[in-house]
Amino acid sequence: MDPALIDGYLRRLGTERPGRPTADVLRELHLRHLRTVPFENLSLHLGEEIVLAEERLLEKIVDRRRGGFCYELNGAFAVLLRALGFEVALLAARTYGKEGLLGVPYDHLALRVGTADGGDWLADVGFGAHSHGPLAIGERGEQRDPGGVFRVTEAGADAADVRGPGGPAGSEDLVVLCDGTPQYRLELRPRALGDFRIGAWWHGTSPDSHFGRSLVCSRLTGQGGRITLGGRRLTLTAPDGEKEAVDLTSDAEVLEVYRERFGIALDRVPEVRERSVARERAGTNL
């Protein structure tokens, strides 16, 4: 990978090349990523193509200073980590939805990261509100994090009575929980970036995907809270969970928030795709 792109990536995160790929370095990069590169699905509603190729992901994040959703954020983060000497495997996961039902295969992309000091970590900068730091993938007890109390447990059998293909040692799928609530079921078999194209396509086209029905742009704040622009509603979440929301009334306000609070310069306000398609079909202003 072009060293200039990697250096540009690090500049966006506000840091320099580390000396060794240690667990402490991974924690710092993970937190900086969550604070500076927003979780956003704007491309789906701006008519922009999402291409799961390493060069395109880095171009979007480094040159265009955009964010993305899990495939883009964790896909790009994997490239950065490998360039810095970390061992990285892409893992497929299925998120838990309403009534505990699992999403489609390749629903989510997360990372397994090995460090020079013997660490084995689950890194995830593409799940929205989640852990601020990487989780020890082999730890089965509570892992306290500013984002909540996390646990990584063996999954057991799924709805098809399958425990999962597992990794090289034949281990079962894992479930990641936050404050006791299952977040996603994680497969340990390493995958290639191209494997996730079916998940990205589904989330970009299916009426059952919440990404196609809503706009979101969100990142951690330096104080440990969160700032989120959902459509035209700006929500500030304090570290203690208290929320303050305001509805933006003009396109100029929306574009200013994208620019000033997320570093994203747009020439027009994104519009939810389904609403935009309905307008085209009707030929009217909805």
Side-chain angles (χ1 to χ4, degrees):
M1 186 55 61
D2 184 353
L5 275 176
I6 299 302
D7 289 340
Y9 203 150
L10 291 169
R11 282 194 299 273
R12 182 168 187 195
L13 300 186
T15 189
E16 299 178 348
R17 283 184 178 255
R20 295 179 68 237
T22 64
D24 286 342
V25 169
L26 176 62
R27 290 188 192 96
E28 179 183 359
L29 293 173
H30 197 282
L31 183 57
R32 286 179 178 272
H33 208 288
L34 293 172
R35 288 174 173 172
T36 57
V37 184
F39 179 91
E40 50 105 335
N41 67 341
L42 306 184
S43 289
L44 298 181
H45 306 288
L46 288 169
E48 298 173 350
E49 184 181 16
I50 294 175
V51 180
L52 297 188
E54 292 181 353
E55 296 84 354
R56 293 288 292 273
L57 298 183
L58 291 185
E59 183 270 336
K60 183 176 183 180
I61 288 176
V62 178
D63 294 338
R64 295 169 56 198
R65 302 189 70 79
R66 286 281 301 280
F69 56 169
C70 69
Y71 312 107
E72 300 170 289
L73 296 179
N74 283 323
F77 194 42
V79 178
L80 174 65
L81 293 177
R82 285 180 180 140
L84 299 178
F86 292 92
E87 296 182 1
V88 183
L90 309 185
L91 303 182
R94 300 171 67 188
T95 61
Y96 285 91
K98 295 180 179 179
E99 301 178 356
L101 297 177
L102 286 168
V104 297
Y106 299 102
D107 192 23
H108 181 59
L109 187 163
L111 305 177
R112 186 172 190 171
V113 182
T115 60
D117 47 5
D120 187 11
W121 302 93
L122 173 64
D124 194 343
V125 297
F127 198 66
H130 196 57
S131 64
H132 295 194
L135 302 174
I137 201 167
E139 172 60 50
R140 295 295 173 259
E142 292 184 348
Q143 301 187 54
R144 295 187 176 274
D145 178 273
V149 179
F150 290 83
R151 290 186 64 206
V152 181
T153 68
E154 280 80 12
D158 62 10
D161 200 29
V162 175
R163 294 180 178 271
S171 56
E172 298 179 0
D173 290 354
L174 301 176
V175 171
V176 180
L177 302 97
C178 177
D179 296 331
T181 301
Q183 303 298 298
Y184 52 78
R185 182 182 178 113
L186 186 72
E187 297 179 7
L188 294 181
R189 173 184 172 182
R191 300 288 182 175
L193 182 59
D195 292 342
F196 294 88
R197 287 179 294 182
I198 185 64
W201 173 83
W202 187 87
H203 279 297
T205 60
S206 174
D208 294 327
S209 171
H210 64 91
F211 286 115
R213 302 192 302 268
S214 62
L215 281 159
V216 64
C217 186
S218 183
R219 65 169 179 82
L220 282 183
T221 64
Q223 294 75 36
R226 179 167 290 277
I227 179 171
T228 301
L229 182 58
R232 291 178 178 267
R233 170 159 289 193
L234 178 64
T235 302
L236 302 177
T237 305
D240 63 2
E242 184 176 350
K243 297 180 183 292
E244 178 184 350
V246 59
D247 291 320
L248 308 179
T249 59
S250 70
D251 286 0
E253 286 182 295
V254 174
L255 293 175
E256 181 180 9
V257 168
Y258 279 128
R259 183 176 61 253
E260 299 298 326
R261 306 302 293 269
F262 298 99
I264 296 177
L266 300 176
D267 57 8
R268 61 186 174 91
V269 173
E271 183 179 18
V272 173
R273 183 192 63 222
E274 291 183 358
R275 181 180 174 89
S276 178
V277 170
R279 176 182 293 173
E280 291 178 5
R281 289 175 177 173
T284 61
N285 292 325
L286 301 179

